[in-house]
Amino acid sequence: MAIPPRSVQIPSVAETALLSFTTSRRCASMERPIADFSSRIIHGLHAAKPISLTKRVLIAKATKDRGPFENSAMDTLDLALVPASGFISRYAASEPRKGSDILVEALEREGVTDVFAYPGGASMEIHQALTRSKIIKNVLCRHEQGEVFAAEGYARASGKVGVCIATSGPGATNLVTGLADAMLDSTPIVAITGQVPRRMIGTDAFQETPIVEVTRSITKHNYLVMHIEDIPRVIREAFYLAASGRPGPVLVDIPKDIQQQMAVPDWSHPMRLQTYQERLPKPPEQAELQHILYVISRSKKPVIYCGGGCINASEELKEFVDLTGIPVTTTLMGLGVFPSSDHRCLNMLGMHGTVYANYAIDKADLLLAFGVRFDDRVTGKLESFARHATIVHVDVDSAEIGKNKPVHISLFADVCLALQGINNLIKARSLTYDFSSWLDELNAQKKKWPLTYPDLADEICPQYAIELLHKVTKGAVIITTGVGQHQMWAAQWFKYERPRQWLSSGGLGSMGFGLPAALGAAVAIPGCPVIDIDGDGSFLMNIQELAPISLLQLPVKVVILNNQHLGMVVQWEDRFYKGNRAHTYLGDPRAENSIFPDFCKMAEGFKLPSSRVCRKHDLQAAYKKMLETPGPYLLDVIVPHQEHVLPMIPTGGSFKDIITEGDGRKKY
């Protein structure tokens, strides 16, 4: 049976109304006939990556034969909308209120305390309603892309659904990159957009864009609310969809006249997600788990390859490794799900992963792939990846199983529940494993191929800067990054001991992610220091978010590894284009010895303390001052542009093609 695509949409009653309203002027230009839209109803929404166990207990269906889960507290999902326990509305039960106030109360009932919203004409009513809430506070970001990245940072740091709100037209389209980012990295967010009044939809009105159509392929689901009575149900569904299965972004578009209309909400309307709920993974059967244990018992060189799908299965993964002794390598999105300090940790694999992690994959006879999608930056040449291994793939999204790499054993299940079941079976049967000779072989590779960087006298090597940052912070911070060389060095040289400590744009690779994500993380986890390790190119893309960070005095520290270039593109120019510079220099060509722009003066404009450090012997003192300064701080660290991120497996290459030496000072 064919696996349905990952993101298929169920049109609500409201969307059906929109289709009939707009088909007359849009149908002729569509590549796919409107009638085909109905086929998506048959498939339903597709399930996705793991969420917290408490949420999973709510969404899992009871089964008669629980196997190893007989003691689990799993009950049939109640699709009725019930008020949050103890929730007290500020309105009398029969008191009419605006649609915008119904929306805000619906958010309150979902436990929302923080939103990231920028006002505009079509969302003014929502902002007015927010001022009447005693529960929700708005963080006023200075750009809609900043707010959606902040919502992602909030969600990734806390495990809760992040919420952002924008106006229609350009406000809504400014969310698009963030929605795509959340889709690829399985981040649960709900984006609410204002829309022009219903009577003006389809007329090319001022600031009108069909944002539901624009975002259909980059959201898990989206809604256009055409009836005020639908608001309670739609918001409940949006949060449920965003957080259940494989998490992802959900968009809710609300016309301005709906926001202004008066009604008495009915909070008891049930959700209409039966088909979706039926497609969520069931608890794995005992026979499936026994099959996995069988192939482990036959293995001599097993490796665990885990990713972002293990974010809520960290404890279960650690217990599994303790019980079996199998070494672990993680993807970029999986950093922190297994402690970097553990002797069985091989750190990151893939294009810029460690030599010994990639060696382990190349030599393994069993690959246990948990919560991963066999991304091209991990696998390189697919035919060569894990070429000797029996591959076991456990994932909550069945569309990912076998999509890129054929597997021998597949399990469509929540990774957390699968590991719980496997661990219970191992303990119940007192099973033991001995992979000591394999671990010795990998330890020899660790000693032979450690991560290294050059001694640049008194210049600041970027790898050293991050290694020292880990040392002075003792790792007790949340790290966010932009995208580029600094991102890869932060992945390699900072050590992550727990999940939700590392927040970075993985699948989409969105420059400008780091600063707003740090803002969101700081709001989500009050008092926890957050450090944005950024590049000068990435940082400039959302520098405006220094404004709310400064005004709220959030403990966000920004460390800019400033090499005056688009470093990762420069590295590829050095390696594959004979060093020809094609618009990758970001400094001032009229004064190449100066630093351009002056980030310290920019920070001053935002009333942020800052400093610049150019010499290695000054760096530790600069870090000390940064960390001791209350509130936000910007540190501009000047680094050479010739450094390359190594190791490196070129695109489409395999382990035998790995590059371990060289930099921009050499011609290729």
Side-chain angles (χ1 to χ4, degrees):
M1 183 176 69
I3 297 174
R6 169 181 161 189
S7 176
V8 281
Q9 312 294 330
I10 303 175
S12 65
V13 173
E15 287 178 322
T16 305
L18 171 66
L19 282 173
S20 62
F21 194 81
T22 59
T23 297
S24 59
R25 59 188 312 268
R26 300 193 193 277
C27 186
S29 64
M30 295 181 67
E31 292 181 4
R32 182 179 297 181
I34 283 288
D36 188 53
F37 188 77
S38 62
S39 68
R40 304 183 185 191
I41 303 174
I42 298 170
H43 292 304
L45 277 150
H46 201 59
K49 277 191 181 165
I51 57 168
S52 67
L53 183 56
T54 53
K55 283 266 189 185
R56 279 193 297 270
V57 168
L58 291 175
I59 65 175
K61 247 189 172 180
T63 55
K64 292 182 180 178
D65 180 16
R66 295 185 187 275
F69 302 100
E70 288 179 7
N71 296 324
S72 297
M74 292 194 173
D75 299 307
T76 303
L77 175 69
D78 180 5
L79 290 178
L81 270 172
V82 294
S85 177
F87 182 85
I88 301 174
S89 174
R90 63 182 179 274
Y91 295 96
S94 59
E95 182 181 356
R97 77 272 335 234
K98 285 186 172 183
S100 57
D101 289 296
I102 296 172
L103 169 65
V104 169
E105 183 169 328
L107 295 176
E108 292 172 346
R109 287 169 178 259
E110 291 299 319
V112 174
T113 57
D114 303 280
V115 298
F116 303 88
Y118 196 87
S123 63
M124 284 178 62
E125 290 286 350
I126 300 172
H127 283 263
Q128 290 295 312
L130 285 170
T131 66
R132 295 188 281 271
S133 173
K134 305 298 183 185
I135 298 173
I136 300 175
K137 70 174 186 290
N138 178 44
V139 178
L140 181 61
C141 295
R142 296 312 198 255
H143 192 285
E144 290 88 357
Q145 186 180 98
E147 74 178 46
V148 67
F149 284 156
E152 281 197 85
Y154 183 97
R156 294 191 194 185
S158 68
K160 299 188 290 186
V161 177
V163 180
C164 59
I165 303 172
T167 191
S168 63
T173 56
N174 279 342
L175 298 178
V176 167
T177 296
L179 293 172
D181 191 86
M183 186 70 168
L184 281 170
D185 287 347
S186 305
T187 305
I189 64 172
V190 170
I192 299 168
T193 51
Q195 183 55 276
V196 299
R198 286 173 294 178
R199 68 184 183 279
M200 299 173 70
I201 293 176
T203 68
D204 293 333
F206 177 67
Q207 291 194 335
E208 180 200 357
T209 53
I211 197 62
V212 165
E213 296 171 21
V214 169
T215 62
R216 182 161 284 136
S217 63
I218 56 168
T219 53
K220 190 174 175 184
H221 190 45
N222 49 34
Y223 297 88
L224 174 62
V225 179
M226 297 294 281
H227 303 283
I228 191 171
E229 296 83 4
D230 289 338
I231 292 176
R233 174 185 59 81
V234 164
I235 294 303
R236 182 69 174 128
E237 289 181 7
F239 275 77
Y240 178 77
L241 290 168
S244 61
R246 180 176 181 172
V250 177
L251 181 132
V252 180
D253 197 28
I254 308 178
K256 188 169 183 178
D257 60 321
I258 294 288
Q259 300 171 35
Q260 295 171 325
Q261 192 175 342
M262 302 291 287
V264 176
D266 183 351
W267 302 105
S268 65
H269 281 307
M271 294 192 291
R272 301 174 183 174
L273 297 175
Q274 192 63 39
T275 302
Y276 169 76
Q277 191 268 339
E278 289 172 356
R279 297 190 64 81
L280 290 169
K282 309 301 185 291
E285 296 180 3
Q286 189 162 340
E288 296 173 312
L289 304 181
Q290 289 174 336
H291 194 187
I292 294 173
L293 287 177
Y294 173 75
V295 294
I296 292 174
S297 69
R298 304 271 295 181
S299 171
K300 301 296 182 185
K301 297 183 176 184
V303 176
I304 298 167
Y305 154 42
C306 63
C310 295
I311 193 77
N312 296 300
S314 179
E315 293 302 317
E316 291 78 8
L317 177 64
K318 283 186 280 187
E319 183 181 17
F320 177 68
V321 175
D322 288 338
L323 290 170
T324 62
I326 299 174
V328 180
T329 182
T330 70
T331 66
L332 182 73
M333 295 300 297
L335 291 173
V337 300
F338 190 77
S340 296
S341 59
D342 192 291
H343 70 281
R344 295 157 298 193
C345 182
L346 303 173
N347 299 308
M348 188 173 71
L349 81 163
M351 177 177 283
H352 293 297
T354 61
V355 172
Y356 43 88
N358 287 306
Y359 173 92
I361 297 294
D362 191 60
K363 303 301 181 184
D365 62 8
L366 174 63
L367 184 66
L368 300 172
F370 297 149
V372 295
R373 57 190 182 90
F374 292 86
D375 176 71
D376 60 289
R377 289 296 175 103
V378 166
T379 64
K381 188 178 181 180
L382 275 168
E383 310 88 80
S384 301
F385 182 77
R387 52 186 172 159
H388 305 299
T390 296
I391 300 177
V392 177
H393 191 183
V394 181
D395 203 280
V396 77
D397 185 355
S398 63
E400 293 294 349
I401 296 174
K403 184 181 79 173
N404 294 330
K405 178 77 174 178
V407 300
H408 302 90
I409 300 172
S410 64
L411 179 56
F412 171 40
D414 185 312
V415 174
C416 182
L417 297 183
L419 285 173
Q420 281 180 1
I422 292 172
N423 293 342
N424 289 342
L425 286 174
I426 292 174
K427 289 182 288 187
R429 300 177 182 183
S430 301
L431 300 176
T432 59
Y433 303 91
D434 181 11
F435 299 114
S436 55
S437 60
W438 173 227
L439 289 172
D440 289 343
E441 182 180 340
L442 295 178
N443 285 333
Q445 290 296 314
K446 284 185 178 183
K447 292 176 182 177
K448 182 179 180 181
W449 298 106
L451 290 173
T452 61
Y453 56 82
D455 184 353
L456 300 178
D458 209 25
E459 280 190 298
I460 301 173
C461 190
Q463 300 96 314
Y464 167 77
I466 295 171
E467 184 181 46
L468 181 62
L469 182 63
H470 179 266
K471 179 180 177 182
V472 299
T473 62
K474 299 180 173 61
V477 294
I478 292 173
I479 296 293
T480 69
T481 75
V483 169
Q485 286 182 314
H486 68 275
Q487 176 191 29
M488 294 297 105
W489 285 319
Q492 291 176 336
W493 291 95
F494 203 96
K495 303 305 176 186
Y496 304 93
E497 299 298 310
R498 64 183 191 277
R500 305 194 182 282
Q501 186 184 4
W502 160 259
L503 315 179
S504 192
S505 174
L508 195 64
S510 305
M511 292 176 68
F513 178 86
L515 184 64
L519 163 62
V523 171
I525 315 293
C528 179
V530 182
I531 298 179
D532 171 30
I533 300 174
D534 227 323
D536 48 315
S538 270
F539 182 67
L540 268 176
M541 290 197 171
N542 273 311
I543 193 172
Q544 75 283 342
E545 303 313 330
L546 286 178
I549 289 171
S550 174
L551 294 173
L552 296 172
Q553 282 296 289
L554 296 174
V556 173
K557 317 295 184 183
V558 181
V559 176
I560 303 173
L561 299 182
N562 189 348
N563 63 8
Q564 297 283 281
H565 289 74
L566 284 173
M568 188 60 83
V569 186
V570 164
Q571 176 170 332
W572 283 56
E573 287 176 337
D574 289 340
R575 293 283 178 174
F576 310 117
Y577 295 89
K578 300 180 180 179
N580 182 49
R581 296 288 176 257
H583 320 120
T584 49
Y585 176 59
L586 301 179
D588 183 354
R590 301 165 301 178
E592 293 190 7
N593 291 327
S594 66
I595 302 300
F596 177 88
D598 190 328
F599 289 116
C600 292
K601 286 186 177 179
M602 289 182 167
E604 183 182 353
F606 286 103
K607 299 183 178 179
L608 254 78
S610 66
S611 61
R612 177 181 294 155
V613 59
C614 302
R615 297 298 172 191
K616 182 179 179 179
H617 68 270
D618 296 324
L619 184 58
Q620 186 158 348
Y623 279 154
K624 185 173 185 292
K625 181 181 179 182
M626 175 185 76
L627 295 171
E628 290 176 350
T629 301
Y633 193 95
L634 184 148
L635 181 62
D636 192 17
V637 182
I638 308 304
V639 299
H641 72 272
Q642 296 94 340
E643 286 305 306
H644 286 182
V645 181
L646 297 174
M648 177 183 181
I649 298 176
T651 300
S654 61
F655 176 65
K656 66 180 179 59
D657 303 310
I658 197 165
I659 299 169
T660 58
E661 59 184 21
D663 56 31
R665 300 171 183 88
K666 178 181 176 182
K667 296 294 183 182
Y668 298 92

